[in-house]
């Protein structure tokens, strides 16, 4: 069993990475493999609305000049998907939006191919935009009929501030435990 996480933050080892780390450690305690992918490590571009995924039905995006298909493959082989993004101007980062649009469209075109996987969202934000960011990521889960385990949020701006948000850390740990429980129940 495996849970794949996608970190939409362009900051290397920032607050979103730290918060997702707390979540993943709880999942790993239950013997479930995890992998955290930083979307800033490889190029991913937005959807061009060519609709070829609805014609080809091959579980791939027709645009092949970036990392989208690599990420889609990771989603198809995992039992759980975690999306994490800081709130940038009241919403997910551009990298996360590109992943949601590309992977989401391919999923819909191929009979909601992520259906009944476990999904969860994570966000760090300064003052506002956290709930909207979570909702944007959750729309990916709802549209593709994943089972949403929940969400974790932290109030943090400067690198390392997430460590001071005890409630945010606890939310991530509890969510990690819930994801592990659900993945085991659905795949055990």
């Amino acid at each position: 069993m495996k849970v794949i996480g996608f970190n939409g933050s362009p900051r290397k080892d920032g607050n979103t990475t730290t918060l997702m780390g707390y979540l993943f450690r709880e999942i790993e305690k239950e013997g479930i493999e995890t992998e955290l992918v930083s979307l800033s490590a490889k190029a991913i571009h937005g959807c061009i609305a060519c609709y070829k995924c609805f014609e080809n039905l091959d579980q791939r995006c027709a645009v092949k000049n970036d990392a989208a298909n690599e990420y889609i493959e990771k989603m198809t082989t995992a039992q759980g998907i975690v999306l994490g993004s800081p709130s940038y101007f009241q919403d997910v980062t551009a990298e996360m939006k590109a992943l949601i649009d590309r992977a989401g469209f391919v999923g819909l075109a191929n009979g909601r191919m992520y259906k009944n996987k476990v999904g969860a969202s994570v966000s760090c934000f300064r003052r506002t935009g956290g709930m909207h960011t979570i909702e944007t990521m959750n729309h990916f889960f709802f549209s593709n009929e994943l089972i949403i385990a929940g969400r974790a949020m932290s109030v943090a701006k400067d690198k390392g501030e997430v460590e001071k948000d005890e409630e945010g850390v606890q939310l991530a740990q509890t969510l990690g435990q819930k994801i592990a429980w659900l993945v085991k129940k659905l795949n055990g």
Side-chain angles (χ1 to χ4, degrees):
M1 289 179 279
K2 184 172 185 176
V3 174
I4 184 78
F6 295 93
N7 180 359
S9 178
R11 283 174 138 178
K12 184 173 173 47
D13 300 323
N15 289 316
T16 305
T17 304
T18 302
L19 196 60
M20 291 180 85
Y22 281 108
L23 182 142
F24 274 13
R25 282 189 286 282
E26 295 300 317
I27 295 169
E28 291 162 358
K29 285 179 188 176
E30 295 300 318
I32 299 170
E33 181 185 352
T34 64
E35 180 183 355
L36 182 60
V37 175
S38 175
L39 295 180
S40 66
K42 295 181 181 179
I44 183 167
H45 308 288
C47 180
I48 62 169
C50 68
Y51 294 95
K52 292 289 184 191
C53 55
F54 284 88
E55 292 174 27
N56 298 338
L57 302 176
D58 61 358
Q59 299 187 343
R60 297 283 176 267
C61 179
V63 178
K64 298 180 177 11
N65 64 351
D66 66 7
N69 283 319
E70 175 187 337
Y71 299 156
I72 290 167
E73 176 65 25
K74 288 178 183 290
M75 287 182 178
T76 61
T77 60
Q79 288 71 48
I81 301 169
V82 178
L83 301 180
S85 179
S87 176
Y88 274 28
F89 208 74
Q90 313 301 319
D91 208 341
V92 296
T93 61
E95 295 86 353
M96 180 56 68
K97 183 64 171 135
L99 177 70
I100 288 170
D101 288 352
R102 300 276 293 285
F105 234 178
V106 169
L108 291 176
N110 289 274
R112 290 179 168 77
M113 65 190 207
Y114 317 115
K115 183 178 182 174
N116 294 331
K117 292 180 183 285
V118 176
S121 51
V122 174
S123 182
C124 294
F125 54 94
R126 182 170 175 234
R127 284 197 175 90
T128 61
M131 282 310 300
H132 186 74
T133 300
I134 293 289
E135 288 170 3
T136 296
M137 293 183 285
N138 282 350
H139 288 306
F140 169 82
F141 301 135
F142 286 129
S143 294
N144 278 284
E145 298 182 23
L146 281 83
I147 299 164
I148 300 177
R151 51 88 178 124
M153 299 181 296
S154 176
V155 178
K157 177 189 170 202
D158 295 325
K159 193 172 183 178
E161 280 187 359
V162 71
E163 301 283 3
K164 299 174 189 171
D165 182 4
E166 293 178 23
E167 187 176 356
V169 168
Q170 181 60 50
L171 284 170
Q173 291 171 326
T174 301
L175 180 57
Q177 294 163 7
K178 189 173 183 185
I179 291 167
W181 183 84
L182 274 169
V183 165
K184 285 182 164 184
K185 287 289 184 190
L186 293 170
N187 300 283

